[in-house]
Amino acid sequence: MQSFTEENYLKIIYHLSESTNTVQTNAIAEQIQTKPASVTDMIKKLAEKGLIDYIKYQGVTLTEKGKQTAINIVRKHRLWEVFLVDKLNFKWDEVHDVAEELEHIKSENLIERLDEFLGFPKADPHGDPIPDKNGRFAKTQFVKLIELKIGESGTITGVSQHSSAFLKHLEKLGLTLGKQVKISDVTDFDGSVEILVDNKQINISREVAKHILTTENGKN
């Protein structure tokens, strides 16, 4: 059985490994905000438990056992986020830290009942896919808002930036999950995007637009 700290390391390595085959210790240290030497100590413990493969100076990869453990933590985290938003009326920018604590609950029976109680949701309040009890993710096709052309529209189905400040900013603009948006114009100078949402024209920066994920509806 893993400690809270070990589970946090596995989850971070899993998320980092989504964009690279081998995860460097410095990248882990940056995420956890600790010294690389402390990361190395924990990595050695995880390797001894068969959860990761570690080659000095080359980096870390999850073993199949480590990957499944990490996916299970992700599953619990995202299910708890759904529960907090749908059943306890938390806002989507308030749930991450609470779910960080709840994800360490060990009872698999509780998690399966939670999943059933919530109606087997496929995504969390930020649009991130929730793996099923076998660790399988539902396939989703996202298009970044910044990639839509003028005249094209889409439905907001997720975000790739989860900071509270960013989510509050989207909430203020009315850019939440399920909203229909249409690209009215793109400024050549700075890449800012003018969009139509709820029959209102609003302007958002390129930085914001690249973190909003949509399912493309085509031109209309």
Side-chain angles (χ1 to χ4, degrees):
M1 188 175 291
Q2 290 77 47
S3 67
F4 286 11
T5 304
E6 288 171 341
E7 290 187 342
N8 286 335
Y9 267 78
L10 290 172
K11 187 175 68 169
I12 286 168
I13 293 168
Y14 173 76
H15 286 313
L16 290 171
S17 69
E18 290 180 300
S19 57
T20 181
N21 290 329
T22 304
V23 178
Q24 302 301 316
T25 54
N26 284 343
I28 301 170
E30 186 177 333
Q31 287 288 315
I32 295 179
Q33 297 182 330
T34 190
K35 295 177 181 178
S38 299
V39 172
T40 301
D41 290 341
M42 178 56 72
I43 282 171
K44 288 177 180 176
K45 290 181 182 178
L46 295 174
E48 288 171 2
K49 291 187 174 185
L51 296 165
I52 63 168
D53 290 321
Y54 170 56
I55 300 175
K56 196 173 183 180
Y57 305 122
Q58 291 188 32
V60 172
T61 55
L62 290 168
T63 62
E64 189 57 34
K65 178 183 175 183
K67 183 178 179 181
Q68 289 306 313
T69 302
I71 288 174
N72 189 44
I73 299 163
V74 169
R75 167 175 160 78
K76 290 189 285 186
H77 182 102
R78 293 176 180 174
L79 283 171
W80 282 119
E81 286 195 337
V82 174
F83 175 76
L84 291 167
V85 170
D86 288 2
K87 304 302 180 183
L88 298 186
N89 300 317
F90 278 72
K91 292 184 178 180
W92 68 341
D93 60 281
E94 298 175 326
V95 295
H96 179 75
D97 289 345
V98 182
E100 285 275 298
E101 298 180 34
L102 293 170
E103 71 186 26
H104 298 293
I105 293 174
K106 302 299 183 186
S107 172
E108 293 303 322
N109 187 31
L110 171 62
I111 300 305
E112 296 316 313
R113 291 193 182 194
L114 177 65
D115 192 18
E116 183 179 5
F117 175 67
L118 296 172
F120 306 103
K122 301 299 183 188
D124 73 9
H126 311 110
D128 293 319
I130 299 173
D132 64 19
K133 62 182 180 181
N134 298 312
R136 294 189 298 258
F137 290 86
K139 290 185 178 179
T140 51
Q141 288 287 341
F142 290 130
V143 178
K144 293 179 182 179
L145 184 62
I146 196 70
E147 295 171 352
L148 295 178
K149 304 290 190 296
I150 294 172
E152 291 182 340
S153 64
T155 302
I156 298 176
T157 48
V159 293
S160 58
Q161 159 65 268
H162 294 164
S163 72
S164 178
F166 181 72
L167 296 173
K168 284 179 180 177
H169 181 60
L170 293 188
E171 188 92 28
K172 187 176 180 181
L173 294 172
L175 299 176
T176 51
L177 297 189
K179 285 296 179 74
Q180 302 277 335
V181 295
K182 183 176 180 180
I183 307 299
S184 301
D185 198 13
V186 179
T187 303
D188 291 337
F189 174 67
D190 61 1
S192 59
V193 182
E194 186 176 279
I195 60 176
L196 179 68
V197 58
D198 290 337
N199 295 315
K200 295 187 299 182
Q201 294 282 358
I202 64 172
N203 194 276
I204 60 175
S205 70
R206 177 180 176 81
E207 186 66 21
V208 168
K210 77 179 186 181
H211 288 299
I212 297 174
L213 306 175
T214 74
T215 51
E216 191 175 358
N217 299 334
K219 288 202 173 193
N220 52 41

